[in-house]
Each structure stands twice: as structure tokens, then as C-alpha cells.
């Protein structure tokens, strides 16, 4: 009897082609469509985007002659992803809901739903790959690899998956490139062949972030202060072996800069952001280099070379260090070289990972732009995503 694979049919071209490939490979394929979000507050397109997604998922399932089930996971999604997102922004941190969505929903709640349908595996349309190796004790180690399409690699979004979650995961399009996925979809007359890729927050879509966040976080008038590059240069002399100091964010007070405008809530903004400030007439763009949610102040600097945008190191608390491949875990006092990214699509950056009693430090070869607490740092060895962690500072 063929093994059963339950695939998350999202109404997009990637999951559609993934389902087709699985069927071609002889699996018993079952589609499962998730409804994860009903509220349209702050969304920028359509009244209820998932309605359209469901129609496309149904058309693809019909074309492929596979059953399609629908499950409403919106309560779990709200509790485990959106509430986390609100809480992080409220503290002045920058969460990545897509990483949480994969860890908490697609490969947890969804996996359980799939297993109720008799799944041996669950599949998604992610551009990444999976490999296995046998450990000395005879156990299987599951490895998460970057997708073959370097321009679409989505392994970063899966950087928090556990061995148990990877065990059941399948990534049918991980070995092929996006143009080929589109070609297959057209060749098979799939309804999603020319459909645009989804953007924005996982299952919510593109949003006006301040409007979206105002569902829970109240607007509050505050001031914008500019920090001159000269001030930053004179206040950041740190030795390269002082990891704790190098990982410390820049700290400003209103006395360090000049008030140049106002805003409606520091928790609506993030480090490195340049849009939404409403201040013009500058030779170069203004960038946010610091936020203080306690005092409700935003600090900005002019130009993308402003020193306040850059840091050489970051810190991850001990309890937030996650080894996707536990056989590669470092012990306290150890260090190793890795390639690291702190946001999706960022080119991999060369760095050294140090494990200390108080947590992990990542020391980059070159200063990094826009390191923000709450983001995920993921470290790679070649094509393998070895581990990740939430940036504390």
C-alpha cells in the first residue's frame, strides 16, 4: 500500500506543484487546506484573502484528482503566533511570525491534523531540502538543507524545526527552481500556474503594520530624535574580544540628539526601518537606529552608512539556542565558524559562534546592519542549516 502524504494546499503554485510531484511519485496524496486567520484589520488586499486561496486549492485538488479537507486552525494561530507577535512588538522587539508559524502551526497543529487523516508524512511547498544520516548509536539524524534555488531558498523560515518535526516533513520542490515550478504548473493546467506568490505575514497577508498592531497596541504620540553620525562614532570604541559589549545594542537618550518630528508609538517601528517616518527634505534617507518603548522615543540617523545601524555581534540566551541538528551542538566554552543570516534573503555572513554560560554570541567578520532583538539568527555549515536562536540583543 502506498504511503500517505498529506500536503498543505495553500492555493499557491508551489504547494500545487508539490502535490502533483508527490502523486507522480506514487504516493497516496491528500490535500489539507488551513483557515488560519479571519480578521481583515490592516490587510492591504481583498476582504478575506483565504476565501480566494481556498477556491484555488479546490481547483488544484480537482485537477489532480486528490481529496481536499479543510480545517480551521485560527484559534491556535491567534494564540500561538499572533499573540506572540503583539507581545514582542509591545516590548519593542521585532518578531518573525513566519518562523513561528512553521514551528507552531504547519509542523505541529497541522501535523497532528494530518496524522488524524492517516498521514505517514506531511509535505509543504517550501524551497528547502531534507537529508538523513545515521548517528554512531544507530539513530537517524534529519538534516535541513537549503533549497536548490538559491534565489528562493526558504530554509531560514524552518530554522526552529525539531528532529521530530523534520522526521515527518517532505519538501517535494526543494530540488527544483521556481521557473521550473511555473512551467510544470502550466504544463499540467493547474489553476495556480500564473497566480502571484503570497507576501506579507504568514496566513494574514500584506498588512499596514501599525494599523494591524493597533488591534492590541494603542497609539501614543511620541518624539523622533536624530543622532548625528559623529556622536555615534565617538561613543562606540569596543575591543574585538569583548563579546558582551560588542553584542550590546546602542543606547541613546534624548540629550544625545535633537527632536525633529513625532510618531504615534515607538512599538510600531523597528531597527533599520526607513519608511513611515514622514520626514523629508534630507540629502539621504533617515533610518531608525533605536527605539525606546518605555519612554516612547524613536532615534534616527541619516544615511545607510550611519554607524548606529551597525553592530559586530549579537547575543542569544541559553534557553533560546536551538540545534536543528543536535549532533552539531556546541558545549559551553566551545566555538565554531558558521555562515549566518539574521533575516530572510540576507546573504549569508561569515561569523564565529561562541557558547558561554550566559548564552551564545555570534561575532561577525563584518559589522551587520539592522540587528534587532526578536529576530531569528540561523547558522549554516555549507548547505545545512545547523541551528538558530532568537536574538536577545
Amino acid at each position: 500500500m502506498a504511503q500517505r502524504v498529506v500536503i498543505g494546499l495553500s492555493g499557491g503554485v508551489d504547494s500545487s506543484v508539490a502535490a502533483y510531484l508527490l502523486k507522480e511519485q506514487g504516493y497516496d496524496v491528500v490535500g489539507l487546506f488551513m483557515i488560519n486567520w479571519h480578521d481583515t484589520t490592516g490587510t492591504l488586499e481583498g476582504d478575506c484573502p483565504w476565501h480566494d486561496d481556498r477556491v484555488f486549492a479546490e481547483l488544484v485538488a480537482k485537477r489532480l484528482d486528490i481529496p481536499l479537507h479543510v480545517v480551521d486552525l485560527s484559534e491556535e494561530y491567534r494564540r500561538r503566533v499572533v499573540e506572540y507577535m503583539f507581545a514582542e512588538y509591545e516590548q519593542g522587539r521585532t518578531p518573525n511570525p513566519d518562523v513561528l508559524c512553521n514551528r507552531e502551526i504547519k509542523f505541529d497543529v497541522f501535523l497532528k491534523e494530518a496524522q488524524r487523516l492517516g498521514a505517514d508524512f506531511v509535505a509543504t511547498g517550501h524551497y528547502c531540502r531534507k537529508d538523513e544520516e545515521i548517528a554512531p548509536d544507530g539513530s537517524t539524524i534529519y538534516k535541513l538543507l537549503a533549497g536548490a534555488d538559491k534565489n528562493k531558498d526558504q530554509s531560514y523560515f524552518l530554522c526552529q524545526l525539531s528532529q521530530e518535526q523534520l522526521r515527518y516533513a517532505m519538501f517535494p520542490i526543494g530540488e527544483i527552481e521556481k521557473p521550473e515550478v511555473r512551467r510544470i504548473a502550466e504544463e499540467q493546467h493547474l489553476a495556480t500556474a500564473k497566480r502571484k506568490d503570497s507576501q506579507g505575514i504568514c496566513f494574514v497577508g500584506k498588512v499596514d503594520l501599525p494599523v494591524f498592531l493597533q488591534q492590541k497596541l494603542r497609539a501614543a504620540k511620541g518624539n523622533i530624535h536624530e543622532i548625528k553620525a559623529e556622536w555615534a562614532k565617538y561613543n562606540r570604541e569596543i575591543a574585538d574580544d569583548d563579546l558582551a559589549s560588542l553584542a550590546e545594542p546602542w543606547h541613546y537618550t534624548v540629550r544625545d540628539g535633537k527632536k525633529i518630528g513625532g510618531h504615534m508609538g515607538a512599538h510600531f517601528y523597528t531597527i533599520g526601518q526607513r519608511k513611515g517616518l514622514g520626514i523629508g527634505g534630507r540629502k539621504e534617507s533617515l533610518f531608525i537606529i533605536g527605539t525606546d518603548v518605555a519612554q516612547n522615543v524613536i532615534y534616527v540617523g541619516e544615511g545607510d552608512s550611519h554607524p548606529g545601524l551597525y553592530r559586530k555581534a549579537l547575543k542569544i540566551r541559553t534557553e533560546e539556542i536551538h540545534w536543528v541538528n543536535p549532533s552539531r551542538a556546541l558545549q559551553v566554552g566551545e566555538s565554531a565558524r558558521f555562515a549566518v543570516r539574521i533575516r530572510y534573503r540576507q546573504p549569508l555572513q561569515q561569523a564565529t559562534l561562541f557558547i558561554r554560560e550566559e548564552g551564545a554570541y555570534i561575532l561577525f567578520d563584518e559589522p551587520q546592519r539592522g540587528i534587532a532583538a526578536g529576530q531569528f539568527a540561523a547558522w549554516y555549515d555549507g548547505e545545512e542549516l545547523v541551528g538558530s536562536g532568537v536574538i536577545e540583543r
Side-chain angles (χ1 to χ4, degrees):
M1 182 182 285
Q3 289 182 306
R4 174 165 286 191
V5 181
V6 172
I7 180 162
L9 274 184
S10 65
V13 67
D14 298 330
S15 63
S16 303
V17 171
Y20 164 75
L21 293 174
L22 289 168
K23 191 168 184 193
E24 284 294 290
Q25 292 161 18
Y27 290 103
D28 173 18
V29 182
V30 175
L32 184 56
F33 179 82
M34 291 178 278
I35 300 170
N36 281 353
W37 194 246
H38 295 280
D39 195 340
T40 58
T41 304
T43 56
L44 298 179
E45 46 191 52
D47 291 326
C48 210
W50 68 261
H51 282 169
D52 292 343
D53 293 339
R54 179 174 176 173
V55 170
F56 276 96
E58 288 170 344
L59 289 169
V60 168
K62 187 173 182 181
R63 175 69 185 167
L64 296 177
D65 192 24
I66 62 174
L68 179 68
H69 299 265
V70 178
V71 61
D72 190 329
L73 303 179
S74 56
E75 179 54 33
E76 291 278 12
Y77 183 77
R78 180 195 60 75
R79 186 171 60 83
R80 295 169 70 166
V81 178
V82 178
E83 293 297 336
Y84 169 89
M85 184 177 157
F86 284 135
E88 287 285 276
Y89 272 108
E90 189 171 28
Q91 296 172 57
R93 293 162 60 85
T94 306
N96 189 311
D98 293 314
V99 174
L100 264 292
C101 181
N102 284 309
R103 186 183 79 188
E104 301 290 329
I105 304 298
K106 290 180 183 173
F107 291 92
D108 190 331
V109 185
F110 177 85
L111 173 59
K112 292 182 176 69
E113 290 291 332
Q115 288 173 330
R116 289 193 188 100
L117 295 173
D120 296 297
F121 296 97
V122 295
T124 66
H126 283 104
Y127 286 87
C128 59
R129 294 171 294 153
K130 170 181 154 183
D131 198 6
E132 300 176 10
E133 67 178 29
I134 304 301
D137 65 1
S139 63
T140 302
I141 295 170
Y142 301 97
K143 300 163 77 171
L144 177 63
L145 307 180
D149 188 336
K150 298 303 179 226
N151 191 47
K152 291 292 293 183
D153 170 38
Q154 293 174 313
S155 56
Y156 173 81
F157 290 134
L158 304 177
C159 69
Q160 285 279 293
L161 293 195
S162 67
Q163 285 289 291
E164 184 68 7
Q165 290 171 315
L166 273 176
R167 174 185 167 193
Y168 293 104
M170 293 181 76
F171 308 113
I173 63 170
E175 296 285 354
I176 58 181
E177 298 191 351
K178 185 74 178 200
E180 176 69 0
V181 168
R182 290 279 184 196
R183 188 195 68 75
I184 293 171
E186 288 199 33
E187 184 183 79
Q188 297 305 315
H189 305 292
L190 300 179
T192 53
K194 288 186 165 64
R195 201 173 184 216
K196 284 184 178 179
D197 291 341
S198 61
Q199 294 180 311
I201 301 170
C202 180
F203 292 119
V204 177
K206 293 188 79 169
V207 299
D208 179 327
L209 193 60
V211 174
F212 182 78
L213 292 175
Q214 280 177 43
Q215 295 174 73
K216 285 287 174 69
L217 308 182
R218 67 180 182 84
K221 289 183 178 179
N223 294 328
I224 299 174
H225 285 252
E226 181 180 5
I227 303 293
K228 296 292 187 182
E230 292 72 24
W231 181 93
K233 286 176 184 173
Y234 291 128
N235 286 272
R236 194 73 173 184
E237 293 298 326
I238 304 170
D240 275 353
D241 59 353
D242 186 352
L243 290 173
S245 296
L246 286 167
E248 193 66 31
W250 291 77
H251 294 290
Y252 311 104
T253 71
V254 293
R255 293 186 299 276
D256 301 320
K258 176 186 175 185
K259 177 186 170 184
I260 60 168
H263 61 82
M264 290 306 294
H267 42 252
F268 297 141
Y269 299 87
T270 188
I271 305 295
Q273 180 178 336
R274 69 179 174 85
K275 292 182 178 178
L277 290 171
I279 300 173
R282 295 300 184 107
K283 186 177 179 183
E284 295 187 76
S285 296
L286 290 173
F287 292 84
I288 294 175
I289 59 175
T291 63
D292 183 340
V293 293
Q295 302 296 321
N296 198 26
V297 178
I298 288 174
Y299 296 97
V300 299
E302 185 173 353
D304 61 7
S305 62
H306 192 288
L309 277 173
Y310 295 85
R311 267 198 282 151
K312 277 207 75 172
L314 61 83
K315 184 192 172 197
I316 297 166
R317 291 186 310 186
T318 300
E319 61 269 29
E320 296 284 4
I321 302 170
H322 173 68
W323 295 97
V324 177
N325 182 344
S327 72
R328 300 291 304 274
L330 300 177
Q331 304 305 311
V332 173
E334 294 182 332
S335 64
R337 295 281 294 171
F338 288 106
V340 180
R341 63 167 50 104
I342 58 172
R343 63 182 72 87
Y344 177 53
R345 285 195 173 280
Q346 182 197 26
L348 288 167
Q349 306 293 309
Q350 297 304 309
T352 304
L353 175 68
F354 298 86
I355 303 297
R356 299 287 187 259
E357 289 284 356
E358 67 273 21
Y361 291 98
I362 294 176
L363 179 63
F364 294 95
D365 291 3
E366 300 294 333
Q368 295 299 299
R369 182 182 182 279
I371 295 175
Q375 291 174 317
F376 288 88
W379 47 94
Y380 293 73
D381 181 5
E383 294 190 310
E384 182 185 3
L385 198 164
V386 177
S388 69
V390 183
I391 298 171
E392 180 191 7
R393 61 174 191 263

